[in-house]
Structure formats: C-alpha cells, structure tokens
C-alpha cells in the first residue's frame, strides 16, 4: 500500500541491500578496529564524527559513513 502523502524522509530510506552492506562493513569496523573510510567511496571526508579508530562501544560507528549514509551526506553539505 502506498501513501503519497508520506515523505521519503519519514523513513529510514535504506534498501535491504544497503542495510546488508552497512552491517557487513560495520562488522569489519569491529574486527579491524578501524572504521570505514568514506574517502574510499570518493567523498572528500572520511567520517562525519570522530576518527578512524573504532573503540568497540555500542555507538562506535556513529560518524562512519555506513552508520548513516544520509547523515554523512548532510554533513558534507554543511562543511564548506
Ligand atoms: Zn562502521
């Protein structure tokens, strides 16, 4: 069922494929202790928060591209 009045932003607009990729990449973050560097995807910055170091805490991936690609892109626009 489709509701045309719902905005795309009302959802966590990640496809299943994107969610699978995210889970896979963040698993690697945990193993390597180094968070995914978004520069590998051609972005001009690596993380929107924090550094490359993964501290193994529950929210350690916050700031890494795969944690929230949309949030990452929002930060890209802010950074001038
Ligand atoms: Zn991660």
């Amino acid at each position: 069922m489709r509701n045309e009045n719902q905005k795309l932003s009302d959802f966590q607009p990640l496809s299943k494929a994107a969610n699978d990729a995210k889970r896979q990449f963040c698993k690697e973050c945990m193993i390597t202790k180094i968070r995914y560097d978004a520069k590998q995807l051609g972005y001009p910055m690596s993380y929107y928060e924090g550094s490359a170091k993964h501290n193994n805490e529950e929210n350690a991936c916050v700031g890494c591209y795969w944690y929230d690609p949309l949030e990452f892109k929002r930060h890209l626009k802010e950074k001038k």
Side-chain angles (χ1 to χ4, degrees):
M1 200 171 86
R2 273 185 78 166
N3 183 342
E4 302 292 343
N5 292 322
Q6 278 179 315
K7 291 193 293 319
L8 196 64
S9 55
D10 292 343
F11 300 97
Q12 172 76 313
L14 288 178
S15 66
K16 189 186 178 297
N19 269 318
D20 286 349
K22 175 177 154 163
R23 205 170 307 124
Q24 185 54 43
F25 280 114
C26 281
K27 204 187 285 171
E28 263 173 62
C29 296
M30 278 186 279
I31 294 166
T32 60
K33 302 282 184 286
I34 294 172
R35 306 198 301 173
Y36 188 86
D37 186 343
K39 283 182 179 169
Q40 291 180 61
L41 296 171
Y43 291 107
M45 70 178 186
S46 304
Y47 314 97
Y48 67 79
E49 200 181 297
S51 68
K53 203 167 175 294
H54 190 289
N55 60 13
N56 251 347
E57 279 165 24
E58 203 186 322
N59 59 356
C61 271
V62 176
C64 120
Y65 174 82
W66 287 107
Y67 179 79
D68 192 337
L70 291 177
E71 184 66 15
F72 184 90
K73 283 170 192 166
R74 217 167 287 142
H75 282 261
L76 272 186
K77 279 180 211 153
E78 282 167 20
K79 209 176 171 183
K80 283 273 147 65

